[in-house]
Amino acid sequence: MQSYDAGPTDHEAGTAPLIEDTIGANFERTAAAHPDVEALVDVAQGLRWTYRELNDEIDVVARGLLGRGIAKGDRVGIWSPNCAEWTIVQYATAKIGAILVNINPAYRTHELSYVLNQSGVRMLISATSFKTSDYVAMVGQVRAEAPTLRMVIFLGTEDWAALRDAAVPAQQLRERMDSLSNTDPINIQYTSGTTGFPKGATLSHRNILNNGFFVTEGINLKPGDRLCIPVPFYHCFGMVMGNLGCTTHGVTMVIPAPGFEPGITLETIEAERCTGVYGVPTMFIAMQNHPSFADRDLSSLRTGVMAGAVCPIEVMKRCINEMHMAEVAICYGMTETSPVSCQTLHDDDLERRTATIGRAHPHVEIKVVDPETGDIVERGQPGEFCTRGYSVMLGYWEDPEKTAEAIDQDGWMHTGDLAVMREDGYCTIVGRIKDMVIRGGENVYPREIEEFLYAHPDIEDAQVIGVPDTRYGEEICVWIKLKPGAERLDAEAIREFATGRLAHYKIPRYVHLVDEFPMTVTGKIRKVQMREESVRILGLANS
């Protein structure tokens, strides 16, 4: 492993050693050390547990799963928005060595059927409904198509009480816990692919326990601090960076609502005196522009994480100046790397926390390579971001071919992201390899143009894509979301704003005004869909 100063690869040895516990053993260690600290608060349900109480509740559910015959390595699916039971099931399955399969609450029958069958789910724990989703009806429609599915537990019904009533003696749980290894697979998370079916990233205790721990180390949360978690549990941001980050440190997990609501999140931060809050950039934008924002007392906030997409500089500045989050961090990663590979630190200067994604996480190596040759590029030059270390997934569930495409023979995970590593080891993401626009032979990185447009007084958010062009191969198109009350902008106004400040080939030819961007539930912009819609709107199908 090369040292920090050795060259264009980078790693951070870290001050704390890797945790070699299982998730269950680590949780019990925290509960023993901080038994009376509040562990979990579900605001919507009015539920609260201390660490001692939550450990007892997790044990009851774990013993109930054993009583229902769930074996080590069996897959237990959970299909629900955020709630206390989600967290309890996360730790109960970890204690018995069952593999938790996270199912996106936005899925419909086609996707549900695929996930149940691809992972071989034996038990499904599901909400009954959420927003427009009737989970009971959808489970009924696909159950005959899922031959491995033997049991369905609906939350909020007598099913949950019956599961708890099935609890076997505590000794059987001890015996199961003693048989587990921290390198066992414990979680399958389906990545939101832009084409084809999603792939099941398979993660171990060691993968996600350590990643949650080191993310939380980086933002300086301590026992008794309180973290507001409005990001979804079915994704790494919620269950790893949120829940596991808290439970490795004796921090309180605060669930503001089943799904993200900016007003409720702000209300929860104030009422629960939260120390930190997590979110993707669109969540922070929504909170900062909510009518109640100026009236909320957010002075308890000190820290948090913004991740899931590259973070607009102006939004970050408002987090620090108006939300009191002086120690807020940027994190970068992907599900396949548990998820975080780079992070800014709580005491980094403003420039590093607004202009970069941070530097290599503890015990993780990173490098930036030429996507064509695989050779490491010089610092300051763009290339594909690759990472290696404890955090790299075990592989895609039952898909060795896709696994081999993502992880090379030397253990490097190839992310598909274009990055630049600075001389100080801090990195910036300049786009996706597939999102890079090639206009007349010039490589154009959408992120650079987006960051420039954020400085326009009328623009709330901007997303740049390439669209077909007969002359240049591709042209620049920008989708713009205006600030409330702003005047309409057209392509001529954007050209006038950019002329003399951006190279001519980076100035967007097309401008499309929108109220919202198409995005995944985790806040990632779906640029493939944007490109398809732009081609249709602009009549470029034959270009």
Side-chain angles (χ1 to χ4, degrees):
M1 182 180 289
Q2 291 180 301
S3 69
Y4 170 66
D5 294 319
T9 60
D10 208 355
H11 82 282
E12 174 57 69
T15 52
L18 286 169
I19 299 170
E20 299 298 353
D21 289 336
T22 61
I23 290 168
N26 181 266
F27 184 89
E28 292 187 352
R29 181 173 283 110
T30 299
H34 309 287
D36 299 319
V37 169
E38 209 162 41
L40 180 61
V41 176
D42 184 329
V43 172
Q45 296 190 81
L47 299 174
R48 296 174 184 271
W49 288 269
T50 64
Y51 267 98
R52 178 192 291 112
E53 293 165 343
L54 185 59
N55 188 56
D56 289 344
E57 179 63 20
I58 289 166
D59 278 2
V60 170
V61 175
R63 289 159 51 207
L65 292 170
L66 291 177
R68 290 293 180 89
I70 298 298
K72 175 183 174 181
D74 278 352
R75 271 76 70 204
V76 174
I78 184 159
W79 194 29
S80 168
N82 288 11
C83 61
E85 293 87 350
W86 208 112
T87 302
I88 290 163
V89 169
Q90 176 184 348
Y91 288 88
T93 50
K95 281 198 174 191
I96 68 168
I99 299 173
L100 186 69
V101 179
N102 300 3
I103 304 175
N104 187 331
Y107 277 1
R108 292 297 186 261
T109 53
H110 179 65
E111 298 143 319
L112 174 64
S113 179
Y114 173 79
V115 166
L116 292 175
N117 284 295
Q118 202 277 331
S119 61
V121 166
R122 186 176 179 196
M123 174 189 280
L124 176 65
I125 299 174
S126 174
T128 55
S129 64
F130 180 61
K131 294 185 177 178
T132 62
S133 296
D134 183 342
Y135 295 126
V136 175
M138 285 190 279
V139 171
Q141 290 175 49
V142 306
R143 197 162 183 179
E145 305 166 9
T148 64
L149 183 61
R150 295 285 183 263
M151 295 163 277
V152 179
I153 307 292
F154 285 110
L155 299 174
T157 73
E158 60 187 27
D159 292 353
W160 184 250
L163 176 64
R164 295 174 85 260
D165 288 343
V168 299
Q171 180 59 30
Q172 292 187 36
L173 176 58
R174 290 296 106 197
E175 291 168 358
R176 177 66 65 85
M177 289 183 68
D178 289 344
S179 74
L180 305 181
S181 165
N182 72 332
T183 56
D184 293 335
I186 203 64
N187 185 215
I188 297 174
Q189 299 195 33
Y190 282 87
T191 60
S192 49
T194 53
T195 58
F197 282 107
K199 302 183 292 291
T202 307
L203 303 166
S204 68
H205 297 262
R206 193 172 190 262
N207 284 150
I208 58 179
L209 184 65
N210 279 290
N211 207 259
F213 173 79
F214 283 108
V215 167
T216 310
E217 285 285 283
I219 61 169
N220 202 30
L221 284 179
K222 305 294 186 185
D225 282 344
R226 303 169 71 80
L227 179 65
C228 182
I229 311 175
V231 292
F233 288 156
Y234 84 86
H235 185 262
C236 271
F237 204 168
M239 70 162 286
V240 178
M241 298 162 68
N243 290 347
L244 286 167
C246 286
T247 63
T248 52
H249 286 79
V251 172
T252 306
M253 301 168 278
V254 180
I255 307 170
F260 174 64
E261 299 286 348
I264 292 175
T265 304
L266 291 167
E267 182 181 347
T268 297
I269 292 167
E270 179 178 35
E272 295 292 331
R273 305 303 295 161
C274 292
T275 319
V277 60
Y278 283 1
V280 299
T282 51
M283 289 180 174
F284 283 99
I285 290 170
M287 285 189 281
Q288 291 167 2
N289 290 318
H290 192 270
S292 71
F293 179 73
D295 299 324
R296 290 295 176 195
D297 178 4
L298 307 178
S299 60
S300 62
L301 285 177
R302 186 188 78 238
T303 189
V305 167
M306 201 191 300
V310 179
C311 306
I313 291 170
E314 294 305 314
V315 177
M316 171 61 78
K317 287 179 179 176
R318 290 192 71 186
C319 285
I320 295 169
N321 297 328
E322 298 174 44
M323 297 181 74
H324 309 282
M325 299 169 67
E327 298 180 8
V328 65
I330 293 282
C331 286
Y332 161 81
M334 61 193 305
T335 304
E336 290 89 336
T337 56
S338 305
V340 174
S341 301
C342 282
Q343 182 173 345
T344 59
L345 302 179
H346 66 89
D347 56 355
D348 271 340
D349 61 31
L350 182 61
E351 188 274 335
R352 283 174 167 163
R353 284 190 287 132
T354 55
T356 81
I357 57 165
R359 53 175 288 176
H361 233 225
H363 307 284
V364 168
E365 281 183 289
I366 63 175
K367 67 178 180 179
V368 179
V369 303
D370 184 314
E372 297 295 325
T373 66
D375 295 334
I376 294 174
V377 300
E378 293 298 320
R379 296 199 188 205
Q381 297 300 310
E384 184 180 19
F385 184 96
C386 299
T387 183
R388 180 170 69 176
Y390 79 85
S391 58
V392 174
M393 65 175 178
L394 302 178
Y396 293 118
W397 183 260
E398 294 191 345
D399 197 340
E401 186 176 322
K402 292 292 186 186
T403 301
E405 290 175 10
I407 305 171
D408 66 27
Q409 292 182 337
D410 294 322
W412 290 98
M413 178 77 205
H414 290 253
T415 67
D417 283 332
L418 286 167
V420 173
M421 186 187 292
R422 310 191 322 186
E423 288 298 327
D424 61 4
Y426 282 69
C427 295
T428 59
I429 298 295
V430 294
R432 295 282 295 166
I433 291 175
K434 293 178 181 177
D435 288 344
M436 186 177 71
V437 181
I438 304 177
R439 182 194 181 278
E442 296 279 3
N443 291 351
V444 179
Y445 302 106
R447 197 67 217 160
E448 179 187 2
I449 303 171
E450 291 160 1
E451 288 285 0
F452 169 76
L453 291 175
Y454 289 136
H456 192 289
D458 292 332
I459 293 176
E460 182 174 294
D461 202 353
Q463 298 293 328
V464 170
I465 54 173
V467 293
D469 185 77
T470 52
R471 181 176 181 185
Y472 294 107
E474 286 187 290
E475 260 293 3
I476 311 298
C477 174
V478 60
W479 287 30
I480 289 175
K481 181 179 179 182
L482 295 175
K483 292 179 179 177
E487 295 184 11
R488 292 181 65 83
L489 294 173
D490 58 17
E492 184 57 39
I494 294 298
R495 265 195 294 275
E496 185 177 335
F497 179 70
T499 298
R501 302 169 73 188
L502 279 183
H504 69 91
Y505 62 86
K506 297 178 184 177
I507 297 175
R509 179 175 176 183
Y510 304 107
V511 173
H512 180 49
L513 299 182
V514 296
D515 294 324
E516 300 292 341
F517 300 103
M519 61 179 61
T520 67
V521 177
T522 56
K524 293 183 185 294
I525 303 294
R526 295 185 61 84
K527 289 199 171 182
V528 169
Q529 184 178 337
M530 286 174 53
R531 193 174 294 111
E532 291 170 352
E533 291 189 25
S534 297
V535 168
R536 178 181 56 80
I537 292 166
L538 298 170
L540 301 174
N542 297 318
S543 295

